[in-house]
Amino acid sequence: MFVTGPREFLAAFGSGRFPVRHAATARGAFLVAPASADLASESAQDNRYMAAAPALDLARAARQHAELARRLGEDVPVLTFPGDPACPDGLFPNNVFATTRGRLIVGRMRHAVRRREAARTDVRGFFRDVLGYAQTDLSPRTDLVAELTGALVIDRARGIGYCGLSERCDEAGARAMHEAFGLGLTFCFALADGEYHTNVVFALLAGRLPLLAADGFRDAAVPAAIAQAYGDAVHLGDAHKRAFAGNAIALAPTRAWLSAVAAASLSPQQRATIARHGFALGEVELDEIEKAGGSLRCCVAEIF
């Protein structure tokens, strides 16, 4: 079922057709190490969250990234693939590679610099030859753009997807991901002008608690409907969004991970709401990596 309006979504969500059927969180995760100090100029065309700085301190970014992998390992097994200097955005693999049960999905990236990442044979080989996963490869398609879990936030427990349209994902891409992930319901909507990925303005923690920056959506009725469906939400303002507070993830049912900058932006009331829903906060310093225009959730490709 593929819907594009808040009323249609709420009717479908409340119909009883999408109960909790699966685990809400991943059984593992993989990261890709930073390997280039350069910032991708192509990506900067439509990612306003990239810093004006000309380059990263690569050694500092690598230390932060290694600490991220170590800390996430407290919740799930974590694998880190080596980076490629020709792929400066490669440390954000969730846009290019994603999984559902027994299947690797490869996205179709907007920018040529990111399409190089989709050709990696080591990631494909790991899932094919080591884990025995089937593969759905959207990368050769020229009729769509589909940047996977950058554009698509998924309630894994219920099989519901939330897909924001922007330069990084069109409706054809949203429909292709709906099929590739085997979703029962996808709610497709437009992001606000200037927003590039849904996972910067919306996180869904373990299928229980949305974090929503309403100004990141073209229609304010969309985040209102999502909050209504789940019965509660952490509402984020522009300052929270720019601190990447919407770029959060839960890899275990009782912990939400954010960057240290994102966590520091939260008010006591917002922290209390997160705690009330059963989540402790995990925080990792990622300010050097955030200069590249993404944060903690962008670094994490989940293994289901």
Side-chain angles (χ1 to χ4, degrees), residues 31-43:
L31 283 61
V32 173
S36 174
D38 296 330
L39 298 179
S41 57
E42 276 188 274
S43 298

Side-chain angles (χ1 to χ4, degrees), residues 269-302:
Q269 293 80 8
Q270 289 168 322
R271 287 173 173 264
T273 300
I274 292 169
R276 187 171 68 249
H277 286 268
F279 297 102
L281 282 183
E283 306 175 23
V284 185
E285 292 280 354
L286 293 175
D287 58 298
E288 194 65 36
I289 285 171
E290 287 172 337
K291 293 177 182 177
S295 187
L296 192 147
R297 197 274 171 267
C298 295
C299 291
V300 182
E302 299 157 285

